[in-house]
Amino acid sequence: MLYIIGLGLGDESDITLRGLEAVKKSQKIYMDRKSFMGNQSHLLIERWWKKGREATTHSDLVVRPKKLGVNVEVVHNASVMNDVGICRLQLYHYGETVSTPFFTEIWRPDSFYEKIKKNRALGLHTLCLLDIRVKEPTFESLCRGGKKQYEPPRYMTVNTAIEQLLEVEQKRGDSVYSEETECVGFARLGAEDQKILSGTMKQSESVDCGAPLHCLVIVGKTHPVEEEMLEFYKYGTAN
Ligand SMILES: C[S@@+](CC[C@H](N)C(=O)[O-])C[C@H]1O[C@@H](n2cnc3c(N)ncnc32)[C@H](O)[C@@H]1O
């Protein structure tokens, strides 16, 4: 049996009772070290699983064992996809979620711009999931071959996300959003020191939201009740 257990967003105490039961009765436990930060992770608990591979996807971790006839059970938990609801921007007012990768000197992908443009044309909010670089081999060690060396882990901040979004707006120029566009920054959702910050992109870009993980919502058309709630997290108020 392979259990895939969501640990939630805060720390290991967020595991569900069902998840804890599955941990207790498993012989081997794998930690998914890619899409997690410190406490938030997806525990891969298995009985028959061979050594995991360095790079894989969650779907692959379900498909491959199933093809081998291994039973797979997912033990659900909170996800950032629903936890952003804490700021009371209504979840059914969101459009397509986008990912924002770290730009490099030579690689500045901006496919997210068209998706944000579509969402905003419909008045919808956009959740931006920010890049995580964990166990990334260094360019030198890849070129040299042999034993890999790894870059230090990097987690994109709200500040970097806004900076890159505004750079793309400047380049594409379709007035999809601007420095004055309302957004909500989230840091460490589910942790005791979680931080939620609502303000314009320009205001939010100047705030240090602290340790990762961060994500960002670009606010679409709001209902008066949504606006009322965002006041609690307004730039300049302590929260
Ligand atoms: C690829 S997604 C994985 C999300 C995870 N599977 C889930 O459903 O919660 C990783 C991104 O989600 C966002 N994220 C995940 N956990 C978060 C948290 N506790 N607080 C803020 N953002 C978070 C960050 O942008 C992070 O880079």
Side-chain angles (χ1 to χ4, degrees):
M1 166 67 92
L2 169 68
Y3 291 102
I4 296 183
I5 300 178
L7 253 187
L9 293 172
D11 63 24
E12 63 286 356
S13 63
D14 286 332
I15 191 170
T16 60
L17 293 176
R18 264 189 65 205
L20 192 55
E21 283 317 306
V23 171
K24 285 181 183 161
K25 62 184 173 188
S26 290
Q27 286 151 341
K28 277 195 215 156
I29 298 179
Y30 283 82
M31 189 74 99
D32 163 9
R33 302 198 69 76
K34 179 76 188 160
S35 63
F36 91 112
M37 162 65 204
N39 303 313
Q40 194 246 354
S41 69
H42 294 266
L43 280 179
L44 296 181
I45 303 216
E46 53 88 50
R47 287 215 168 115
W48 315 113
W49 188 254
K50 301 278 170 294
K51 191 98 190 76
R53 294 188 313 183
E54 200 165 59
T56 183
T57 64
H58 292 154
S59 333
D60 177 42
L61 290 175
V62 175
V63 169
R64 274 194 294 144
K66 275 186 180 288
K67 283 187 178 162
L68 294 172
V70 174
N71 283 334
V72 180
E73 187 178 325
V74 176
V75 183
H76 298 278
N77 206 314
S79 158
V80 64
M81 308 298 285
N82 44 40
D83 253 34
V84 288
I86 189 170
C87 73
R88 308 311 310 153
L89 284 177
Q90 290 153 4
L91 288 179
Y92 43 83
H93 276 175
Y94 279 73
E96 187 174 353
T97 297
V98 300
S99 299
T100 50
F102 277 113
F103 285 175
T104 67
E105 294 292 306
I106 52 170
W107 189 66
R108 303 170 100 75
D110 62 7
S111 59
F112 51 75
Y113 186 76
E114 287 305 322
K115 295 173 185 170
I116 298 171
K117 186 174 173 182
K118 256 192 313 184
N119 289 347
R120 290 187 66 72
L122 295 168
L124 299 175
H125 312 311
T126 304
L127 170 59
C128 305
L129 297 179
L130 311 186
D131 202 354
I132 294 180
R133 292 295 165 104
V134 176
K135 276 206 91 173
E136 294 282 321
T138 63
F139 184 65
E140 297 71 23
S141 68
L142 283 176
C143 298
R144 197 181 46 241
K147 194 167 170 349
K148 281 192 191 138
Q149 248 115 33
Y150 296 97
E151 302 284 357
R154 292 174 69 202
Y155 304 93
M156 188 182 282
T157 62
V158 165
N159 320 76
T160 303
I162 292 173
E163 189 186 317
Q164 292 190 179
L165 284 163
L166 291 175
E167 176 191 310
V168 171
E169 174 51 59
Q170 184 123 48
K171 186 178 79 174
R172 300 284 290 265
D174 295 353
S175 307
V176 172
Y177 48 79
S178 74
E179 287 187 339
E180 299 317 310
T181 298
E182 285 295 310
C183 60
V184 186
F186 300 85
R188 304 173 301 289
L189 270 176
E192 277 169 25
D193 66 342
Q194 72 178 10
K195 183 178 180 60
I196 302 163
L197 167 74
S198 87
T200 65
M201 283 196 173
K202 187 168 175 55
Q203 290 169 332
S204 306
E205 192 182 9
S206 66
V207 176
D208 176 358
C209 293
L213 292 170
H214 294 187
C215 64
L216 180 73
V217 170
I218 302 172
V219 180
K221 273 199 182 56
T222 44
H223 181 280
V225 174
E226 291 178 308
E227 282 158 17
E228 203 178 347
M229 273 302 289
L230 287 184
E231 282 305 308
F232 289 114
Y233 305 110
K234 230 11 159 203
Y235 171 78
T237 57
N239 80 71

